[in-house]
Amino acid sequence: MARGHQMKALALLPAFALVGLTMACGVGGSGAGDAGSGSSSAAAPGGSSDIPAVTKDDKLAAMVPASVTSDGKILVGQDQSYPPNEFQDEGGKVSGFDVDLGTAIGQKLGLKMEFQNSAFDGIIPGIQAGKYELAMSSFSINPERLQTVDMVSYYKAGTSLAVLKGNPDGLNLDDLCGKKMGVQKGTTQVDDLQTRSDACTKAGKPAIEVTQLQAQTDVNLALTAKRVQGELADSPVIDYAVKQTGGRLEVLGAPYDTAPYGIVLKKDSGDYTKAVQQAVQALIDDGTYKKILDKWGLSGTGAVTTSEINPAS
């Protein structure tokens, strides 16, 4: 719901908490339930204790429309099952790289960011319907998404393949035919696996057995529980999963199909989109961006020096 013609609402926190990467999201391991379109929400803190608050930029704040600023906050759509980018800690508090960076963007614009939990594949429709005023949830920028929304770039990530330690099932990224693969519903990796599976069947080989789960944490759980033999996800998420599972998983090969992440805004939002882009750029320039990346161990090849609006105006 959006302000103006509709009221903003703050739903209850979900009944489950994400514990590290090995706890299912209250859906018996299927991952298809509680993070649905009903969306729960949690307000982010004013600033992380180890990330200093940034100063409001009055010029950028003035570019945000009154329909957004009237209540002093921005409603942010987010799937909080994708650590280290966005997740709920053991106490149910929203945390992660996107949360810290999003909070800093809000401070730059003089607004509080209110992060609302949603199923990943419901976020962009929520932006289009006015339910959210911005989305920040590890969305890769691609032509399909740019047909319906505008996106402000802020990071780069590729896709990585995770397997059980030692790769006991002998997975090979170039030939996953007949293998059981886990993936989060609505991600670009779903299309990736479909393309690979089609190539298998055309070559007379068995299709890839794809299990799509609503929450990334459930995908990680499915792999550690040996319900699938491998998983595809964004490279920082896979790297974090390996660390959090105590070495029970490993990355197979190098990341591929690297693409920028984008903050999602409704198409033709004009100065509002420009304000978000310029806020990101200001955080890059003043060093706040690097501090946040360092905190989450993401300061490698994914960091960007320039934030851009996509599609370019």
Side-chain angles (χ1 to χ4, degrees):
M1 291 176 281
R3 252 182 300 76
H5 299 290
Q6 303 166 32
M7 297 185 352
K8 288 185 178 179
L10 184 64
L12 296 175
L13 280 168
F16 56 86
L18 303 178
V19 182
L21 288 180
T22 57
M23 178 69 77
C25 294
V27 286
S30 73
D34 292 347
S37 58
S39 110
S40 50
S41 62
S48 171
S49 59
D50 48 356
I51 305 295
V54 299
T55 303
K56 175 184 177 183
D57 185 313
D58 291 333
K59 180 180 177 181
L60 296 184
M63 295 168 65
V64 182
S67 59
V68 175
T69 63
S70 60
D71 62 356
K73 58 189 177 184
I74 296 175
L75 292 182
V76 183
Q78 191 171 74
D79 169 25
Q80 296 161 3
S81 74
Y82 214 57
N85 297 353
E86 47 270 331
F87 64 102
Q88 295 177 28
D89 65 18
E90 295 182 14
K93 176 183 173 183
V94 184
S95 189
F97 162 56
D98 279 348
V99 174
D100 284 347
L101 183 59
T103 298
I105 292 169
Q107 291 169 347
K108 185 64 69 174
L109 300 177
L111 297 166
K112 181 178 182 179
M113 302 294 260
E114 185 171 282
F115 299 93
Q116 294 200 342
N117 196 20
S118 169
F120 184 76
D121 57 355
I123 297 175
I124 286 182
I127 287 285
Q128 294 174 289
K131 181 178 182 179
Y132 308 120
E133 296 160 331
L134 179 151
M136 199 166 182
S137 196
S138 308
F139 281 99
S140 297
I141 298 175
N142 61 38
E144 180 182 1
R145 287 172 178 157
L146 292 179
Q147 290 178 10
T148 57
V149 293
D150 290 338
M151 304 181 78
V152 174
S153 62
Y154 66 97
Y155 190 73
K156 293 184 296 183
T159 292
S160 288
L161 168 61
V163 296
L164 293 170
K165 186 71 174 179
N167 194 17
D169 296 302
L171 269 67
N172 175 357
L173 185 59
D174 295 327
D175 184 6
L176 295 173
C177 305
K179 300 299 186 182
K180 297 178 180 179
M181 295 295 298
V183 68
Q184 185 183 22
K185 185 178 180 183
T187 60
T188 57
Q189 285 84 15
V190 173
D191 295 334
D192 185 352
L193 284 174
Q194 185 60 58
T195 298
R196 293 174 184 275
S197 187
D198 289 345
C200 291
T201 56
K202 287 179 181 178
K205 298 179 180 181
I208 300 171
E209 296 182 36
V210 180
T211 298
Q212 296 187 45
L213 302 177
Q214 194 70 63
Q216 178 61 38
T217 41
D218 280 348
V219 180
N220 300 327
L221 177 65
L223 181 53
T224 58
K226 301 183 181 180
R227 293 197 296 270
V228 297
Q229 297 167 303
E231 65 168 302
L232 292 182
D234 289 356
S235 47
V237 172
I238 292 294
D239 290 345
Y240 193 75
V242 171
K243 295 175 184 176
Q244 294 299 105
T245 54
R248 295 168 66 190
L249 306 179
E250 68 177 62
V251 182
L252 196 63
Y256 63 94
D257 287 349
T258 298
Y261 280 165
I263 298 167
V264 181
L265 297 112
K266 197 169 186 178
K267 258 206 175 307
D268 303 319
S269 291
D271 282 350
Y272 179 31
T273 301
K274 293 178 182 177
V276 172
Q277 180 270 323
Q278 290 179 36
V280 175
Q281 189 62 55
L283 296 171
I284 293 172
D285 294 342
D286 70 14
T288 301
Y289 174 77
K290 186 178 186 304
K291 290 177 182 176
I292 295 171
L293 289 177
D294 288 345
K295 172 183 174 180
W296 295 104
L298 299 176
S299 294
T301 58
V304 300
T305 57
T306 303
S307 172
E308 298 177 335
I309 296 173
N310 300 267
S313 56

